[in-house]
Amino acid sequence: MLTNASKYAIRSVLFLAQNSNIDKKYGAKYIADELDIPVHFIAKLLQPLVKKGIISSLKGPNGGFYFTPDNGKFKVCDIIEVIEGKNIFDSCFLGLPKCGDSNPCPVHHIVAPFKSELLKKFNMSLNEFKEDMDNLGTFLTLPTKK
Amino acid sequence: MLTNASKYAIRSVLFLAQNSNIDKKYGAKYIADELDIPVHFIAKLLQPLVKKGIISSLKGPNGGFYFTPDNGKFKVCDIIEVIEGKNIFDSCFLGLPKCGDSNPCPVHHIVAPFKSELLKKFNMSLNEFKEDMDNLGTFLTLPTKK
DNA sequence: GATATAAAAGATAATTTAGTCTTTTATTTA
DNA sequence: TAAATAAAAGACTAAATTATCTTTTATATC
Ligand code: SF4
Ligand code: SF4
């Protein structure tokens, strides 16, 4: 459903949202180690996200990637869109040509509500999403690491 | 989540389950046209399914692929396993290393029940699955075609 | 038995996704 | 202003997925 690229990107952005700010930046190397992602790969992925404004970065010593309240106005969906190009939630489960509520496949009643719940979640702003994680105690970086 | 290969295979098997029997066989060409799948690709995919016993086939004139009550004892999961190699439902949504009920990611409460429902469905025998489709009026081949 | 038919088998090609490596540019600090 | 640092940019390699093409084998029918 999601490519590795998207998964990596989402986790990285959320890591920055939770742990960084303008005075506390993280290099690609650190993020890669922390989230167990190939260094060069994540470095590439973060570039377009910076360009889009979903995360911030600064070159040079004491530079790195970081997150500002402004960055938090974007949504998880935006990350996916930047990385994948477009609507990843178009192609559905069995890849039928013209299906949907009126022509449901055998798993539509399972897939459709799942999709809409997920989409609702992914349409939250990153700031909200972060709040939620704090409140619900959900994790992205696992406790075993670091 | 599922590769094209799996999707194609599932749809083809279900098509045969619904429409074929030992006296009514369908060639790869027909199936491909009907389900809008590349001919050579589906022909390749069906081979291992026959070998496994999930569908039946006969060479020569009047030959083709078909479905018997015995074939119907297999499950959708078996199709996926044959095509993909193994447990496709292992790798999860955000690809975290050590997550789960006790270390949930932000979407675990959405993904976990979806996964278990889907797995329940895919663990039904193909005979049961077929029954279900007839009863619920769900489709795989769309009415527009043929 | 010869011929036609259709699956089985195998080799190959194209595309997408994943991952790596090198060079350039911006920024800080000494 | 020189050196060090880290992102940005770009070129490249590898692997998996998707798809195509060709040859062989089994079966039915004439
Ligand atoms: S789950 Fe719904 S949208 Fe997805 S393939 Fe089935 S019918 Fe189509
Ligand atoms: S949904 Fe559950 S199993 Fe899947 S990545 Fe999140 S925590 Fe892990």
Side-chain angles (χ1 to χ4, degrees):
Chain A
M1 180 166 269
L2 290 180
T3 58
N4 275 3
S6 287
K7 292 179 187 176
Y8 292 166
I10 293 172
R11 290 168 61 202
S12 299
V13 171
L14 256 25
F15 169 79
L16 289 172
Q18 285 199 304
N19 300 98
S20 77
N21 56 60
I22 192 155
D23 296 316
K24 201 164 155 199
K25 311 189 186 73
Y26 291 98
K29 177 109 193 319
Y30 188 97
I31 297 171
D33 280 357
E34 191 68 16
L35 303 184
D36 200 28
I37 296 174
V39 197
H40 296 292
F41 197 11
I42 195 59
K44 268 275 97 171
L45 291 175
L46 294 182
Q47 284 176 216
L49 296 175
V50 169
K51 189 173 286 176
K52 177 83 178 186
I54 299 174
I55 53 175
S56 305
S57 73
L58 196 69
K59 292 181 179 180
N62 223 338
F65 299 94
Y66 62 102
F67 202 81
T68 70
D70 254 22
N71 296 134
K73 288 171 185 163
F74 285 90
K75 302 173 294 178
V76 178
C77 278
D78 295 324
I79 303 173
I80 299 172
E81 197 172 308
V82 166
I83 300 295
E84 312 264 338
K86 268 286 170 195
N87 17 10
I88 205 65
F89 289 99
D90 270 9
S91 73
C92 192
F93 212 81
L94 288 181
L96 300 178
K98 284 173 185 175
C99 57
D101 293 328
S102 55
N103 275 321
C105 80
V107 294
H108 184 75
H109 69 287
I110 298 175
V111 174
F114 164 70
K115 214 158 140 180
S116 83
E117 267 200 84
L118 200 65
L119 226 40
K120 202 193 302 167
K121 192 94 188 171
F122 281 2
N123 270 308
M124 288 168 59
S125 77
L126 289 168
N127 280 332
E128 290 173 309
F129 205 95
K130 189 175 79 172
E131 278 294 307
D132 238 46
M133 286 182 69
D134 291 343
N135 294 336
L136 300 173
T138 52
F139 292 91
L140 276 175
T141 319
L142 278 308
T144 41
K145 300 222 58 174
K146 202 199 168 187
Chain B
M1 180 165 267
L2 289 180
T3 58
N4 276 1
S6 288
K7 292 178 186 175
Y8 293 166
I10 293 171
R11 289 169 61 203
S12 299
V13 170
L14 256 28
F15 168 79
L16 290 173
Q18 285 199 305
N19 300 97
S20 77
N21 57 58
I22 192 154
D23 294 316
K24 200 165 155 200
K25 309 190 186 76
Y26 291 98
K29 178 111 194 317
Y30 188 97
I31 298 171
D33 279 356
E34 191 68 16
L35 304 182
D36 200 27
I37 297 174
V39 198
H40 296 292
F41 198 10
I42 195 58
K44 269 275 95 171
L45 291 174
L46 294 182
Q47 284 175 215
L49 296 175
V50 170
K51 190 175 285 174
K52 178 83 175 186
I54 299 174
I55 52 175
S56 305
S57 73
L58 195 68
K59 291 182 180 178
N62 223 334
F65 299 94
Y66 62 101
F67 202 81
T68 68
D70 254 23
N71 295 135
K73 289 172 184 163
F74 285 89
K75 302 173 295 178
V76 178
C77 278
D78 295 325
I79 303 173
I80 299 171
E81 196 173 307
V82 165
I83 300 296
E84 312 265 337
K86 266 289 171 192
N87 16 11
I88 205 63
F89 289 99
D90 269 10
S91 72
C92 193
F93 211 81
L94 288 180
L96 300 177
K98 284 173 186 176
C99 56
D101 294 326
S102 54
N103 276 320
C105 80
V107 292
H108 184 76
H109 68 289
I110 297 174
V111 174
F114 164 70
K115 213 159 141 181
S116 81
E117 265 200 86
L118 200 65
L119 226 40
K120 202 194 300 168
K121 193 94 187 170
F122 282 1
N123 269 307
M124 288 168 59
S125 76
L126 289 168
N127 280 331
E128 290 173 311
F129 205 95
K130 189 176 78 174
E131 277 294 306
D132 239 46
M133 288 182 68
D134 291 342
N135 293 336
L136 300 173
T138 52
F139 293 90
L140 277 176
T141 317
L142 278 309
T144 40
K145 300 222 57 171
K146 202 201 169 186

